[in-house]
Amino acid sequence: MNGNIDIKKDRLRYTKNSTSATFAYVAILFNVFYFVSIYNTDVGNYYYTIDIGISVICNLLFLLFTFLCSEGVKGYKMSYSVAFIPLGIFQLVRIFGIPMDAYNTVLHLEGKDVPVMLKDQFIWLIVCLIVSAIACFAAAAIGIHKTNTLRNYEKQINA
């Protein structure tokens, strides 16, 4: 039984951490769903503000850092695994930005009150951000666990 465990640990030295990288790609995918849903909407002039520009920059930075971390975590680099934690927190904090504000805003257009964001879209955006955050946390947890397992095994065989 112990032999199988050692074989699994030894395999870590020769394989990439594709599980954490896959979770990072899921985080990226759901972030893409999020921003496509937001940027596809056009209600009055609500989305023509500095906030949407900042949102675009935040999306680009999230995509860039998440992809960078996905590459780093493949090589069992602890710092990249840990970096997924603030990325996941960032995704959760974003719920209180544009989605929450747009959902709570009603514009008066052409004599009618028009909500900027309907409930279905709001729920979808929250789901996208939460799934993206959970995927970041999973990538972090798996990356940290596998990196620690590999480092401990390397110490064991070098002793």
Side-chain angles (χ1 to χ4, degrees):
M1 187 71 173
N2 195 20
N4 284 341
I5 293 171
D6 286 343
I7 290 171
K8 286 181 181 181
K9 289 178 185 177
D10 196 51
R11 282 195 62 202
L12 292 176
R13 297 190 311 161
Y14 305 105
T15 60
K16 294 185 182 293
N17 183 359
S18 60
T19 308
S20 288
T22 301
F23 276 109
Y25 301 145
V26 169
I28 289 171
L29 178 67
F30 276 88
N31 188 68
V32 169
F33 291 155
Y34 163 79
F35 76 74
V36 166
S37 181
I38 282 193
Y39 302 156
N40 197 23
T41 307
D42 189 20
V43 177
N45 62 356
Y46 178 83
Y47 290 104
Y48 299 102
T49 63
I50 190 72
D51 291 341
I52 203 70
I54 292 169
S55 174
V56 169
I57 292 169
C58 287
N59 279 313
L60 292 173
L61 290 175
F62 177 81
L63 294 171
L64 175 71
F65 285 124
T66 305
F67 184 74
L68 175 67
C69 289
S70 76
E71 291 301 307
V73 81
K74 284 181 189 177
Y76 300 98
K77 304 273 194 283
M78 183 62 79
S79 58
Y80 289 104
S81 297
V82 172
F84 278 113
I85 296 169
L87 287 170
I89 292 169
F90 174 71
Q91 290 297 79
L92 293 176
V93 169
R94 290 176 75 187
I95 292 171
F96 302 101
I98 289 177
M100 188 72 70
D101 185 56
Y103 180 68
N104 291 322
T105 302
V106 177
L107 298 177
H108 190 71
L109 301 173
E110 300 173 8
K112 296 185 219 173
D113 288 336
V114 178
V116 173
M117 185 178 294
L118 299 176
K119 188 175 185 176
D120 291 345
Q121 183 184 15
F122 178 66
I123 291 170
W124 171 243
L125 293 177
I126 289 175
V127 166
C128 288
L129 288 173
I130 289 173
V131 169
S132 181
I134 289 170
C136 285
F137 296 140
I142 293 167
I144 290 168
H145 174 72
K146 284 188 171 186
T147 301
N148 282 334
T149 301
L150 178 60
R151 298 299 172 248
N152 291 336
Y153 179 71
E154 287 173 337
K155 287 178 189 175
Q156 177 187 352
I157 62 174
N158 289 333

